[in-house]
Amino acid sequence: MYSEKVMEHFSNPRNVGEIEDADGIGKVGSPSCGDTMDIYIKVKNGVLTDVKFRTFGCAAAIASSSMMTEMAKGKTIEEVLKITRDDVADELGGLPEAKMHCSNLASDAIRAAIKDYLGKSSQEEN
Amino acid sequence: MKRIYMDHSATTPTDPQVVEAMLPYFTDKFGNASSLHSFGQEAAESLEKSRQQVADLIAAKPGEIVFTSGGTESDNLAIKGIAYQNSKRGKHIITSTIEHPAVLNTCAYLEKAGFEVTYVPVDIDGILDVAELENAIRDDTILITVMHANNEIGTIQPISDISKISKEKGIYFHTDAVQSVGKIPVDVKELGIDLLSISSHKIHGPKGIGALYIKKGTCIQAIAHGGEHEGRLRAGTENIPGIVGFAKATTLAKESLEVDSKRLTELRDLLIKKVLDSIEYSYLNGHPTKRLPNNANLRFSFVEGEAMLLSLDMKGIAVSTASACSSKSLEPSHVLKAIGLRPEDAYGSLRISLGKNNTCEEVDYVVESLIDVVAKLRDMSPLV
């Protein structure tokens, strides 16, 4: 059912955890829908220097979170915002159709974290 | 890596004695049971001997057994066959909210065909509300169909109480006994059942074969039409190797039922106790005692079922989950919803179903593995 890459990220997920002094936090999904994802980012000069996640969900949700953190780490905000759910799924060697919402969740979560960061930083400027 | 199979409610390995019994019927004894020559008569004799063996397991008469392709077909034949044959008397059917899809979707099909169906709820243990069932009966009720034991949570229904009511009111009573036959005693006369579905591959028989018990005198019609096989209720050349294998499996199940059910109950309770004692925020779904000897359905807060299933699979352990991500649909299990679980709790449930070859050592390994897997996934979970 799953690609080797999905199983590899599921069994050895990268960047699991929280960032205590995160610059932005994105929380998406709902436990009642079967998956929820929290992504934490650290931003320096417009670059995501650290990304961590916590996910409640199936193997696809966990692998998508893990892959997203890897893809986003070290990239600029502009670059990260260009990552689509299909990019995450492609990097994972594909996801079953019914699981595409999992990669969607990952791209929504990182966008929410960036939005949170941008909101906070614009407040600081004011 | 050693592999441990604990998904016996999904299917069971075919017993080697069953395979041995079947083999001659593929080659030497390949005849069509409808043929008049000696090849055919050899097959016809095996067919009738097998019918007797299957009947013996549920205390029925051989003439009351119709062979089908399995549990799903038996449910379809029972429900549609009764509904269509008795539609002049009424078009109302009563069932429960936790039936197998073979029953629920057959009822849904009949609703589109102009029948009305009442779905009676269950309590938090998954036991049907008999008073509510009685209240649901109308003048035009023609059939009650309630499963004997649930395939997900193993809860055993008060079948005798339901059959008493159905008998009083003159309504046919069908039960899907796919999960219970061969695991707990099933006596159709004692239970007062009119129709009962059985599957072979759940009791160490081959796949693709099953039976419907139809009490003598029941008004029912065929749903597939063709030759005059199986008392004109199930057209098609009989699957003799399958039937012989199924019959052998029923005989073996009957011989070992008492011993197996006692041993499996002990193993099940050991598994449940160890899990609940060693994993915080873990719970048992379903009734603690009114459940199948081999079923443990466990719930773990903050983690998702498919993630647990696949993590256990990597350790060589096969279990199942009916919830969301593991099945093709993304909905939580209708059974776990019906017993009142919140979706996130339904998503965190696992079904472990034991079989006659499982051992105490395997149970220990499964518990140790579960402790690891749940801890690892909880470390990752934002809900903790």
Side-chain angles (χ1 to χ4, degrees), chain A residues 17 25-28 36-40 52-55 109, chain B residues 382-383:
Chain A
I25 302 172
K27 289 174 185 280
V28 295
T36 169
M37 203 178 282
D38 295 359
I39 285 192
Y40 300 81
K52 285 198 186 312
F53 80 91
R54 280 195 190 285
T55 291
Chain B
L383 305 180

Side-chain angles (χ1 to χ4, degrees), chain A residues 2 11 34 54-55 58-59 99, chain B residues 304 306 325 347 376 379-380:
Chain A
Y2 287 129
S11 40
R54 280 195 190 285
T55 291
C58 63
K99 300 288 185 175
Chain B
E304 195 271 343
E306 188 212 75
C325 280
Y347 286 126
K376 189 184 162 205
D379 270 349
M380 239 185 271

Side-chain angles (χ1 to χ4, degrees), chain A residues 5-61:
Chain A
K5 194 90 185 167
V6 170
M7 289 310 287
E8 203 267 308
H9 270 265
F10 167 61
S11 40
N12 301 298
R14 298 15 161 203
N15 307 309
V16 175
E18 288 174 23
I19 301 174
E20 275 189 21
D21 55 344
D23 295 320
I25 302 172
K27 289 174 185 280
V28 295
S30 134
S32 64
C33 300
D35 38 29
T36 169
M37 203 178 282
D38 295 359
I39 285 192
Y40 300 81
I41 57 171
K42 200 75 194 148
V43 185
K44 201 172 177 187
N45 301 327
V47 173
L48 274 67
T49 53
D50 198 9
V51 187
K52 285 198 186 312
F53 80 91
R54 280 195 190 285
T55 291
F56 160 81
C58 63

Side-chain angles (χ1 to χ4, degrees), chain B residues 147-211:
Chain B
M147 69 200 326
H148 191 190
N150 184 264
N151 50 305
E152 290 184 34
I153 55 174
T155 301
I156 299 167
Q157 299 298 341
I159 292 298
S160 300
D161 296 347
I162 301 169
S163 75
K164 246 176 245 155
I165 295 168
S166 74
K167 210 166 271 167
E168 262 172 41
K169 308 272 182 180
I171 301 165
Y172 284 124
F173 179 35
H174 165 250
T175 189
D176 177 334
V178 161
Q179 293 291 345
S180 60
V181 164
K183 300 196 188 87
I184 54 174
V186 174
D187 179 322
V188 288
K189 298 286 178 299
E190 217 170 82
L191 291 172
I193 292 160
D194 299 308
L195 303 110
L196 177 139
S197 303
I198 322 175
S199 165
S200 153
H201 75 101
K202 309 286 191 192
I203 57 168
H204 301 275
K207 292 170 182 63
I209 190 78

Side-chain angles (χ1 to χ4, degrees), chain A residues 83-105:
Chain A
I83 302 173
T84 66
R85 70 168 198 171
D86 289 335
D87 295 336
V88 177
D90 288 348
E91 281 295 313
L92 285 169
L95 280 175
E97 191 52 45
K99 300 288 185 175
M100 283 304 287
H101 74 281
C102 295
S103 57
N104 205 13
L105 207 63

Side-chain angles (χ1 to χ4, degrees), chain B residues 8 33 36 67 111 156 239 256 379:
Chain B
H8 293 84
L36 288 177
F67 288 112
E111 281 181 294
I156 299 167
N239 170 8
S256 63
D379 270 349

